[in-house]
Amino acid sequence: MPATTDSAAFVPFGIGGMSGGNFDYSRCAFTAGSACTIDPTVFANASSPAFATCTTTKMHVRNYTAVPTIPLTVTLYKNGASTGLSCTVGATPAATCTSTTAVALLPTDDIALHMSTTNVGGFTSGGSAIEGTAISAVHCE
């Protein structure tokens, strides 16, 4: 998870792990600096091309955050703006949600996931990073 007291970050598609894995914001305080080369609050730092023309039919999110589990909302962003395809999971281990908002995508569109939480400490608890993973899948046909 992004280790910050802020409550939102953009994450790219295809990430294998967020805490100690392939995409770890644990040294980022949401400002670019000597210990952090990206600002995860900026859409362009996490976006990638859609690669094909398609229409989303659903999003599924599962919450595997732990110590403590925190509520999460994941939203698909296209070209820097929210698409309305969003899913919110509660602060319960393995909580899931499914959303079915249709969003048309073109290969010229840049997309990213926006993850946010209402947790008082953002993505931290007692000053430490919240461990675990959030799994999100967007179905496009």
Side-chain angles (χ1 to χ4, degrees):
M1 303 308 303
T4 178
T5 56
D6 283 347
S7 60
F10 285 101
V11 292
F13 281 89
I15 298 308
M18 295 179 68
S19 181
N22 299 332
F23 197 68
D24 188 353
Y25 288 138
S26 64
R27 295 189 307 163
C28 298
F30 279 3
T31 57
S34 60
C36 182
T37 58
I38 64 167
D39 178 350
T41 64
V42 176
F43 171 80
N45 290 341
S47 64
S48 61
F51 292 114
T53 299
C54 66
T55 300
T56 64
T57 56
K58 70 175 73 169
M59 173 189 281
H60 182 77
V61 176
R62 183 173 293 259
N63 189 354
Y64 286 116
T65 60
V67 194
T69 303
I70 61 171
L72 296 171
T73 297
V74 179
T75 304
L76 176 67
Y77 270 60
K78 176 175 89 171
N79 300 325
S82 173
T83 62
L85 178 59
S86 186
C87 208
T88 300
V89 290
T92 304
T96 63
C97 65
T98 301
S99 179
T100 57
T101 301
V103 177
L105 297 175
L106 299 171
T108 54
D109 291 329
D110 285 328
I111 56 175
L113 296 174
H114 184 260
M115 183 183 299
S116 61
T117 182
T118 56
N119 184 50
V120 173
F123 294 104
T124 64
S125 176
S128 298
I130 291 175
E131 295 295 325
T133 301
I135 299 171
S136 179
V138 177
H139 184 256
C140 204
E141 53 185 44

